[in-house]
Amino acid sequence: MLCLFLGLLACDEQENFPQNCEPPLMVAYAVLGSTGVNRDDGAIIITDISGGTAPYEVKLIRRNDPQQKAIANFQSLLADEYQITVEDALGCTTVIDLTVPLNF
């Protein structure tokens, strides 16, 4: 059985991903909104990664600016939509779509 985890959902057996994706990857995170238009003071903070097989690689992709970073705390973010991908040592992956809101 091959596993792809979307958010905290169960395994999708129709995808072709590495075997042995148990226990599933679980990601806890916090999102801090930006305080104004064009202010890059939002943040996404990964507070915990569990399951899967360490070590983990974490990447951030901004919807309109596909830069990738391999760190777990993403700061200086504009209000926008982002995608975080976490991959473990066996290639098991979870993808989380997030929005950094605009807080006034």
Side-chain angles (χ1 to χ4, degrees):
M1 179 170 68
L2 305 174
C3 301
L4 170 66
F5 295 95
L6 300 175
L8 300 177
L9 300 177
C11 181
D12 180 352
E13 296 180 26
Q14 298 177 355
E15 299 291 338
N16 293 320
F17 290 90
Q19 295 185 16
N20 303 319
C21 292
E22 295 294 332
L25 282 170
M26 304 291 280
V27 180
Y29 57 86
V31 176
L32 305 174
S34 175
T35 60
V37 176
N38 296 322
R39 300 226 22 204
D40 61 351
D41 57 356
I44 298 171
I45 302 165
I46 305 298
T47 58
D48 186 52
I49 301 173
S50 61
T53 303
Y56 306 105
E57 181 178 6
V58 180
K59 294 181 181 177
L60 173 74
I61 298 173
R62 183 174 167 208
R63 180 182 56 132
N64 294 320
D65 182 17
Q67 63 182 351
Q68 294 187 358
K69 302 177 183 179
I71 57 174
N73 295 321
F74 306 103
Q75 299 178 1
S76 301
L77 301 178
L78 294 168
D80 206 339
E81 295 175 6
Y82 295 86
Q83 185 177 77
I84 291 180
T85 302
V86 179
E87 183 175 344
D88 76 357
L90 298 178
C92 298
T93 303
T94 187
V95 177
I96 304 167
D97 293 316
L98 299 169
T99 300
V100 172
L102 181 59
N103 297 335
F104 288 104

